[in-house]
Each structure stands twice: as C-alpha cells, then as structure tokens.
Amino acid sequence: MAIEKPDWLRLQKALAIEAEQGFTDLVGRQYRFSEFLCLTFGKFPSGIPSEERDRWQQLAAEYADYSSLDIASRQSLVAQTRRYIHQFISTESGMEVEKIATPKISVSESKPNYKTPNAKSPLSPEISRRLAPALNQKISELSEIGPRQADKLARLGLYTVRDLLYYFPRDHIDYARQVRINELQAGETVTIVATIKSCSCFTSPKNKKLTILELQLRDNTGRLKIGRFYAGARYSSRAWQESIKRQYAAGTVVAVCGLVKASKYGKTIDNPEIEVLANPGDEIESLTIGRVVPIYALTEGVVASLVRQAVTAAMPAAQLIKDPLPKGLRDKYNLMELKDAINNIHFPPDSDSLTGARRRLVFDEFYYLQLGLLQRQHKAKQIQTSAVLVPKGQLVDEFYKILPFQLTGAQQRVINDILGDLQKTVPMNRLVQGDVGSGKTVVAVIALLAAIQSGYQGALMAPTEVLAEQHYRKLVSWFNLLHLPVELLTGSTKASKRRQIHAHLETGELPLLVGTHALIQDPVNFNRLGLVVIDEQHRFGVEQRAKLQQKGAQPHVLTMTATPIPRTLALTIHGDLDVSQIDELPPGRQAIKTTALTSSQREDAYDLMRREIAQGRQVYVVLPLVEESEKLDLRSAVEEHQNLQEAVFPDLKVGLLHGRMSSAEKDEAITKFRDGETQILVSTTVVEVGVDVPNATVMLVENAERFGLSQLHQLRGRVGRGAAQSYCLLMSSSKSADAQQRLKVLEQSQDGFFISEMDMRFRGPGEVLGRKQSGVADFTLASLVEDEQILILARNAAEKVMEIDPTLDRWFLMKEELKYRHERLMGGAILT
C-alpha cells in the first residue's frame, strides 16, 4: 500500500506551522514538533533509494537535537527540510511506497491467531529484519535517540535495545472501542469520530498563562462539547491561537479519544487526544486514538513521549528474537511466539492481542523462576553425602511414651514425611507449615531425636531470644525425662557459659543446641551435626540459613513456619523445597472469639478484661509502637502501660514488654506474666511468637489496622492455648472501608491459610513476608494474586522439561535465557 498524498501534506503542514509560530518546537496532540520529525525520518519508506537513506538518518539525528539549537539554526534546518521534502516528492512521484504494516501471524495452525501490530505500529517484519538494530546495541547509538536522550533513559535503567524491548508497559488504556456520541458512558475510555460544529481558542481570564481550546462536536446521534488546556505563555499568543482555530475549523472531521466524564453540563471527554481526518471513513493514524495505548513507568526528567519514541525505534529488533521455548511447548500451553508477544505488549492492535501477549510474558516470568528453583533442587539431590538417620529407636520410642497427648493425624503424616527423608543420603530440605498451636515443635523434636539416636547432633535456630527460650523450656522438660542434655545459646549468654557450650559441642557431649543468630557465629563448631531445624525461617536471610548448614557436612535441614503461606507464594519462594502442612489442630481447642471494635467501644473491651481477670485469667494488650510518635496518632506501649496501670486498672499489676528492653528485663517481664504475678502484659509485637501462657484468654490489639492479617492471626494465637474460651479484640480508629473489610476477615475465619491468601490480596506478597528477607521476586508483569493459574501451568511445564533433560543441554536458547534472567533479573537471591 502506498503512502498517500495527505501523509506528505501533514509533514509539510507541520513544517509550515513550526515556521509560522517562530520555531518554538511546538507541542502537538501527541508529540513535540522535533519528536514528530525525528520519528518520521527515523524509519525509511519501503523502496527508498539507498543513497537517500543517509540523508534521512541525518535529518532524524538533527531533529533529535532540535530543542538545543538556537532560533537561527532551527530556521535553517526547517528551511532545508522543506526544500528536501519538496524535491523528494517530485523525484519519487509515481513510485509506490509501502505503508508500514504487519500481517497477522498465528502461533500454530491449530491455535488461535494472535495479531501482531497493525498499521498503527512501527515496522513490518520484512523492513524490521533489514533495518533492525542489534539487541545489545546501546540506545545512544540509535539515530532516533542520540546520547543526550539516552542519558535520560538511563535513569530508568535502560541502556540497550533489549532493555527497551523488555521495558513492558505498566498498564494500558483501551481506546480501541469506537462509539457514537449518544452511546457515551461515564467512566469508559472510548474513541469517537465526529464533525466540528464550532471552535474557540482563548486565554483564560483567570490565568494569563493558560489557554483553553473548546470544540463543539456532532455526529448523526448527538452533540458533545470537549476542551483541552495548554499551560505556558507561548500558547497565549494570538498567532498560535488563530492557527489552532484554522486547524480545527468548522466542518473538519476529527477522531477524539479519552475518558468519558459526567459534569453538570452533561457528558464530555476529559483532556482528549484529537486527530484531524480528511474524511469520516479514513483510517486513524495516531499511535493513541482508536487503539490500546501503552502506559510506561516514568521518572523525573523522562517524559512518556521519549520512552514511546525509544521503544518505537527498538521495535524492529523484536523480529530478530529467537524464541527460547520450543514450538511443541508453546503449542501445548497455547503461548504466543515471543517476538509477537513483545510487539503486542507494546503496540497491541486490540485487547485480545494484549491478553495473549501478557499471558505469554507472564508465563515466561514464572517459568524461568520455577526452572531455576527445580534445577537447584535437582543439584541438591545429586549430593549423596548426608547422614543416614535411623527413624526408629529407643529415644523416639521413649518420647512417644512420655507425651501426655495423642498426636494428630496431620502431625503423624508430616513425621512420616520427615523420617522418610532422613533415611536417604540425599540431604533433606523440607518446609513444615502449620498454623499457630498446630504442634510443629513436637514434630521437630522427633526428627531431632532420630538424629541423636543415630549418633549425630542437632541444632534448632529461632529468630528471637523470646522464641529461642520458649523452645528451650519445652525441650528441657522433655529431654530431662530422656536424660539428654540441651543448652541455650543467645547473645545474652554469659562468656563462661558460652565457652562451656562451645567445648561440649566440639567433643560431642552436647547432642542438641537451641539458639538465635549466635549459632552461626564462627566459634560454634559441632562435632557431628546431622540435622538443622530453623523456626520462622522467613525471618532469616538466605546467607544466615546457609551459614548454619555449613556447620556440618551436608546436614539435613527442616524449616518451620507458623505463618501460613499462600500456595502461589510458597511455589515462588519455596519452589526448591519439599513442603508438608500440619493442617489440623489438636482436639479440644476452642475457636477464639474475634471482634473488631471502634474507639467508642473501649469500655466494653475493658469490661471483658475485668471479667476474665476476676476469674483468674490474664490479658495481653498489643500496640504497634514503643513510644508515642509525633507524626502518627497511635497509642504507644509505654504510654498505654502508664495509662492502664494508673487510670484504668490501678488495682491490678500491669507489665510492660518491648524490643528496646534488655534481655534481662524481657525475661523478667515474661516470667512475671507466666507465673501470674502480672495480670495484664502491655507489649509490642515481640509477643507475636514465643510467649506461651495457657492462662491468657484475652488479646486486645490497639490500632489493629496498622497490622497485616497474618500478623494479627499470629498475635491472636497467643491466646486460646488452654481449655478456657478466649477472645481477640481488634481495636481500630480507622473509618476506611478497606481497613474494616480486612478486620472482618479475622472475625469470620480461624484458618491461617485462608487468612494468608486474603492478606496477600490486600497487601501484596512482598509485604506479607517482608520483602528484604523473603526473596519475593519483583515481577515485571506477573501477579501472584491474579495469575495463579499461569503460575501452576509454568510449574507444570518446568517439571516436564526437567524430567526430560535437567541440564537443559538440548535446549541451548532456553538454558541461556535462564542464565540471563537468573544473573540479571533475579540476582540469585530469590533461590532460597
């Protein structure tokens, strides 16, 4: 198809208007004048003689620097260009020049046809392959960009052509739906084609630097008034305003797109994009109007038009991309070819093409992550040097006898999983998930006893001294009956005791050591470490967990968490682990009655606390802050402790616990509460895990809206550990509907896994676990909340590929892509 006369006329008109307005680099509907000229000369029409191409590239480069030229230089360049265009049209008259277009390409004959970009997109495959820049070419070397603009793009981390192709839009606005004026609905993004009935352009009477363009439009169904605003003194000139009136003269046909809004004067289109058409049925040329528009993430000093211009310049290189996924795999999972997906994610001709492109690219993000995790798991299982532990023996049998309760079916199932792993020379790497109070510690003890009776040592590491001491107390009560020594090592352990522990570890006299990060310090040397247990493992960094494992020769590793993890999140951060779930609570546990309260119901909460304390029970009061904040209107632990002790419950003993206290002070506060010397314990979230007082029946959480759902569920788990009915009161001063909805989830459910799913939906995966240590990937397009089914497909595909060839040697491109993504995008930290 040839470029018709109006295309050349538009270019000549742009040059004429720029000259008329004094070479000010006018801002058009979509581009600045210089950007429009740079884009125009940045791509060759098909059939252009080779001797002309250098001239086109030179003009593109000159207009890339247009904004930095003085007025005289601009005038000279525009004059030269107008003469050149006139000469070019005259010389090439009669020559057919292909219009830039891309045909539809299907993934396979048996699959749906996904469209690659249509005439509104940059280049056809044939032209692209001939003119495409290399994927690793620097952006500064692109004639349409140049060094100055490349420096700006570097602020977004964009340096090469490949970076641009993979800089996917953060969102899209769909202007592809064309409607009539009487069909406009507020809140929709649409395109209309209408005729201008009248046009006015004037300076705002209230702001001399603001110019207003108002158009009255009509089609055969109705009328519509639209307006655009131009901020800047140069738009206030009479000459500019008159030129706009000529451009949008009465009777002119225009295509208009934007968001429909309802006002007191009726419906309108907010700050619309406008394109003049020669005739009502003409094709719309704009890269915005009548199509799905990409929206890119920007930063200071980088405008949308620059990113769009750079991506457009890079798009020909997409035709050079070789798809790392074999055709059979693409067909099986109905995936668009990679080069088509990249085209369609940037310049989708319609919403279906965008959906197909996004699905393929999301699949890739999940697939290579899962492939990396499975490869890591495969390599770990090639190690055949771990200790083979005896699952049955005297210690394990004796422990079963001294247990005062029957194990649940879920506990026994998980124990069987663990003991099966311990009999292999391949090191165990298993995660045990269990809700608060589900009995994970008992499961870990049986595994530790299996190691000890096999002649090995065990280590149990917890993230806080409070939790480490809690585990130590439980283990001492059991191990004393089995005549086994166990020690506690934390930052508070005295030097003399520390030396004694180190000595007994090295000789093998000490079979089990419980502790915090102190366990991974250099002086701690085990004689024969066979099993490592890590509690609340997501609170430790990858390196910290690895250091403890390095204290032995490929010890088995059992990690535990009382923070239930949603399925998608577990696959993402623990895809290289075997996972077991204790999804059953011990019999006799009563559901904790949970109620969301407002500040006006505070006295009701205090009445409940008094009633429970009168029956000999105890109460937790948890706050988000240690001391009062000037910036946040929140209750602090220190202030609330004073208030409760002096004003509300002067006849009771109120204790205080927070993270800034010394270890001795913490121990004293917990001991007094555990022994019943204090009836109320005011605390920060230091009580979230580890404090086990079965006599406590009320948990009051102040400013509950400040906590995540999973954290609130953890806090709730501090009560309900005895036989008596327990209560959780969630006090909130927030009137936000979202905050109230979140708290309703806790009122209605005791299921930690359901709560964690909802927490991820409300806050996102990074916030649920804590982004710094959790290893949650920063996906470009994928969402763990919305794309669960694609993640499961990607995991399935990765598993099948690993079954065929875990080395990936038969798929060189796939192996290289995995290496690139692992090193460049994930940095290795995601693999736990």
Side-chain angles (χ1 to χ4, degrees):
M1 185 184 295
I3 292 181
E4 299 173 0
K5 190 174 181 181
D7 293 297
W8 297 109
L9 287 177
R10 178 180 299 172
L11 181 55
Q12 290 175 310
K13 187 174 181 180
L15 290 161
I17 293 175
E18 174 69 5
E20 182 182 333
Q21 298 304 314
F23 310 99
T24 57
D25 199 10
L26 289 171
V27 179
R29 296 183 300 277
Q30 188 172 2
Y31 299 109
R32 283 186 174 276
F33 166 77
S34 58
E35 292 170 344
F36 173 64
L37 270 289
C38 183
L39 277 173
T40 300
F41 290 110
K43 48 197 179 190
F44 307 124
S46 177
I48 184 175
S50 57
E51 61 270 16
E52 294 291 345
R53 292 185 177 182
D54 289 342
R55 179 60 176 147
W56 278 61
Q57 288 183 334
Q58 180 186 349
L59 285 169
E62 289 176 344
Y63 278 104
D65 292 330
Y66 185 84
S67 60
S68 63
L69 299 178
D70 56 33
I71 296 298
S73 300
R74 292 183 183 186
Q75 182 177 4
S76 174
L77 177 58
V78 169
Q80 291 175 27
T81 307
R82 295 177 76 176
R83 287 194 297 272
Y84 175 72
I85 290 296
H86 177 75
Q87 178 185 1
F88 183 85
I89 294 174
S90 299
T91 304
E92 301 300 321
S93 59
M95 181 183 72
E96 287 295 315
V97 182
E98 288 188 323
K99 202 168 190 179
I100 297 166
T102 302
K104 297 178 182 178
I105 298 177
S106 63
V107 175
S108 70
E109 293 302 317
S110 61
K111 301 298 179 184
N113 285 345
Y114 291 114
K115 299 175 184 177
T116 54
N118 61 7
K120 303 179 187 70
S121 300
L123 295 171
S124 68
E126 295 76 14
I127 298 175
S128 294
R129 278 189 286 272
R130 193 166 69 242
L131 304 178
L135 289 171
N136 60 353
Q137 183 175 345
K138 293 180 180 178
I139 295 175
S140 59
E141 296 173 359
L142 296 175
S143 59
E144 301 92 330
I145 305 301
R148 183 178 292 119
Q149 302 287 27
D151 287 343
K152 294 180 181 178
L153 292 167
R155 300 175 194 172
L156 295 172
L158 304 175
Y159 303 97
T160 68
V161 168
R162 180 185 173 113
D163 293 340
L164 287 170
L165 293 179
Y166 282 84
Y167 193 65
F168 301 140
R170 63 174 175 80
D171 200 358
H172 293 78
I173 299 177
D174 188 358
Y175 293 132
R177 193 168 73 89
Q178 186 172 322
V179 301
R180 297 177 178 179
I181 289 177
N182 69 343
E183 296 171 336
L184 294 176
Q185 295 293 329
E188 293 184 347
T189 52
V190 298
T191 293
I192 64 168
V193 175
T195 302
I196 298 175
K197 183 183 178 187
S198 65
C199 168
S200 60
C201 186
F202 55 91
T203 302
S204 169
K206 296 181 180 180
N207 184 349
K208 297 301 181 184
K209 293 185 179 180
L210 180 65
T211 296
I212 302 172
L213 168 66
E214 288 186 350
L215 299 178
Q216 293 282 353
L217 306 178
R218 68 180 178 190
D219 64 10
N220 58 4
T221 69
R223 298 182 179 184
L224 180 71
K225 180 180 178 181
I226 63 173
R228 287 202 67 176
F229 301 91
Y230 300 87
R234 66 176 180 269
Y235 301 114
S236 300
S237 75
R238 190 68 176 270
W240 187 87
Q241 293 178 3
E242 289 300 321
S243 71
I244 287 294
K245 290 179 183 178
R246 289 194 297 273
Q247 184 178 353
Y248 298 120
T252 303
V253 178
V254 291
V256 177
C257 74
L259 176 67
V260 181
K261 285 193 172 182
S263 70
K264 60 182 179 180
Y265 303 109
K267 296 188 183 74
T268 186
I269 296 180
D270 186 49
N271 196 28
E273 297 287 339
I274 308 170
E275 178 182 339
V276 175
L277 304 178
N279 299 290
D282 282 1
E283 185 175 356
I284 300 171
E285 302 292 334
S286 169
L287 286 175
T288 301
I289 301 173
R291 56 166 298 155
V292 181
V293 181
I295 307 298
Y296 297 95
L298 304 173
T299 190
E300 186 177 356
V302 184
V303 296
S305 58
L306 174 58
V307 177
R308 183 165 49 225
Q309 176 185 349
V311 171
T312 300
M315 286 309 296
Q319 300 300 320
L320 303 178
I321 293 176
K322 295 181 180 179
D323 201 323
L325 299 187
K327 186 176 186 300
L329 188 150
R330 298 199 307 269
D331 288 349
K332 179 177 176 62
Y333 294 99
N334 188 21
L335 300 173
M336 184 183 288
E337 192 172 356
L338 181 57
K339 63 182 179 181
D340 297 337
I342 289 175
N343 270 318
N344 280 306
I345 200 70
H346 288 291
F347 298 103
D350 51 51
S351 56
D352 288 342
S353 299
L354 173 60
T355 300
R358 186 183 180 280
R359 184 176 183 275
R360 165 60 200 267
L361 297 171
V362 167
F363 181 93
D364 279 9
E365 289 188 338
F366 285 143
Y367 175 74
Y368 290 110
L369 168 64
Q370 295 303 316
L371 202 57
L373 291 168
L374 289 170
Q375 270 205 332
R376 178 184 173 89
Q377 185 182 58
H378 174 77
K379 290 175 183 176
K381 289 184 176 180
Q382 301 310 300
I383 301 170
Q384 302 287 328
T385 58
S386 283
V388 177
L389 306 184
V390 181
K392 294 184 179 181
Q394 182 180 355
L395 285 179
V396 173
D397 292 342
E398 286 294 322
F399 182 68
Y400 277 120
K401 291 177 183 178
I402 66 173
L403 273 180
F405 51 83
Q406 191 78 22
L407 294 178
T408 65
Q411 284 175 308
Q412 195 59 60
R413 184 183 69 247
V414 173
I415 289 169
N416 293 338
D417 289 342
I418 294 169
L419 296 181
D421 290 344
L422 296 180
Q423 297 177 70
K424 302 173 184 176
T425 56
V426 175
M428 175 178 71
N429 202 5
R430 184 171 292 278
L431 169 68
V432 174
Q433 290 191 90
D435 219 335
V436 177
S438 61
K440 296 180 297 300
T441 304
V442 174
V443 170
V445 168
I446 291 174
L448 289 165
L449 290 174
I452 294 169
Q453 72 184 8
S454 303
Y456 290 89
Q457 294 167 296
L460 194 160
M461 185 166 72
T464 65
E465 290 192 10
V466 171
L467 184 54
E469 185 183 344
Q470 185 69 47
H471 282 310
Y472 174 70
R473 285 174 175 272
K474 277 190 177 180
L475 289 167
V476 166
S477 66
W478 288 327
F479 274 46
N480 281 347
L481 297 175
L482 298 172
H483 309 290
L484 290 173
V486 57
E487 292 288 0
L488 175 67
L489 181 63
T490 70
S492 304
T493 305
K494 293 181 179 179
S496 57
K497 182 65 174 178
R498 189 183 295 269
R499 287 193 295 270
Q500 180 187 357
I501 290 172
H502 290 167
H504 290 170
L505 271 183
E506 290 191 31
T507 60
E509 297 172 65
L510 181 60
L512 177 60
L513 180 61
V514 180
T516 56
H517 302 75
L519 267 61
I520 62 177
Q521 303 304 314
D522 290 337
V524 178
N525 295 308
F526 290 82
N527 178 273
R528 203 179 183 206
L529 182 61
L531 174 64
V532 170
V533 178
I534 303 174
D535 197 14
E536 293 299 322
Q537 58 82 35
H538 64 273
R539 295 186 173 214
F540 293 99
V542 177
E543 294 180 3
Q544 292 171 319
R545 298 197 293 268
K547 278 185 178 180
L548 183 55
Q549 292 171 242
Q550 292 163 6
K551 296 290 182 179
Q554 301 299 332
H556 296 283
V557 178
L558 177 65
T559 56
M560 304 189 299
T561 179
T563 304
I565 303 172
R567 182 185 185 188
T568 52
L569 198 51
L571 272 178
T572 302
I573 65 174
H574 300 311
D576 58 337
L577 304 183
D578 297 311
V579 180
S580 296
Q581 291 186 0
I582 305 179
D583 49 9
E584 182 182 354
L585 289 176
R589 286 284 180 92
Q590 294 190 54
I592 301 165
K593 291 184 178 179
T594 305
T595 308
L597 303 174
T598 63
S599 300
S600 62
Q601 297 171 293
R602 183 173 299 281
E603 284 303 320
D604 294 337
Y606 291 161
D607 287 344
L608 175 63
M609 292 162 64
R610 286 191 184 93
R611 288 198 302 271
E612 288 297 303
I613 292 170
Q615 296 179 45
R617 312 298 183 197
Q618 290 167 281
V619 174
Y620 293 102
V621 177
V622 177
L623 298 100
L625 299 177
V626 177
E627 295 174 349
E628 192 171 357
S629 167
E630 294 180 4
K631 295 182 179 179
L632 296 174
D633 184 20
L634 303 175
R635 301 171 77 89
S636 74
V638 174
E639 295 291 329
E640 184 66 3
H641 171 260
Q642 183 179 359
N643 174 57
L644 291 177
Q645 182 65 85
E646 296 177 2
V648 185
F649 300 106
D651 54 325
L652 302 176
K653 293 287 186 181
V654 182
L656 177 64
L657 176 66
H658 59 74
R660 293 185 189 175
M661 297 167 67
S662 67
S663 296
E665 290 171 332
K666 289 179 190 174
D667 290 342
E668 182 182 3
I670 293 171
T671 301
K672 284 185 175 180
F673 189 64
R674 186 183 291 121
D675 295 344
E677 293 181 34
T678 55
Q679 290 83 40
I680 300 173
L681 181 62
V682 177
S683 174
T684 57
T685 54
V686 72
V687 300
E688 182 182 344
V689 289
V691 179
D692 188 4
V693 181
N695 192 51
T697 58
V698 179
M699 165 66 69
L700 170 62
V701 183
E702 296 280 0
N703 301 110
E705 74 280 1
R706 303 289 299 182
F707 298 89
L709 292 183
S710 293
Q711 192 174 28
L712 288 172
H713 182 60
Q714 286 279 341
L715 290 169
R716 177 169 62 180
R718 294 306 99 205
V719 296
R721 306 180 80 84
Q725 177 65 58
S726 293
Y727 306 86
C728 179
L729 308 177
L730 305 174
M731 189 72 68
S732 171
S733 58
S734 173
K735 296 181 181 179
S736 161
D738 287 344
Q740 296 303 318
Q741 186 181 6
R742 289 172 60 245
L743 298 182
K744 287 290 182 185
V745 171
L746 287 161
E747 281 189 325
Q748 297 165 2
S749 178
Q750 306 273 328
D751 183 346
F753 290 96
F754 170 75
I755 290 168
S756 68
E757 289 278 358
M758 296 304 296
D759 201 13
M760 188 173 75
R761 289 183 180 276
F762 282 120
R763 298 195 298 152
E767 289 296 321
V768 169
L769 292 185
R771 186 175 299 276
K772 289 185 180 179
Q773 292 187 347
S774 67
V776 179
D778 286 321
F779 296 115
T780 303
L781 293 174
S783 163
L784 293 178
V785 175
E786 305 296 335
D787 298 316
E788 179 178 0
Q789 293 306 312
I790 301 178
L791 170 58
I792 293 169
L793 286 178
R795 174 75 175 195
N796 178 267
E799 287 173 343
K800 291 186 182 304
V801 165
M802 288 294 292
E803 287 173 8
I804 297 170
D805 181 9
T807 66
L808 305 183
D809 286 342
R810 68 171 63 188
W811 299 294
F812 175 76
L813 290 176
M814 188 191 300
K815 188 173 184 178
E816 288 299 302
E817 182 69 12
L818 174 62
K819 181 180 178 183
Y820 174 85
R821 287 179 180 250
H822 175 66
E823 293 178 354
R824 177 87 185 271
L825 305 179
M826 300 172 191
I830 189 167
L831 301 182
T832 58

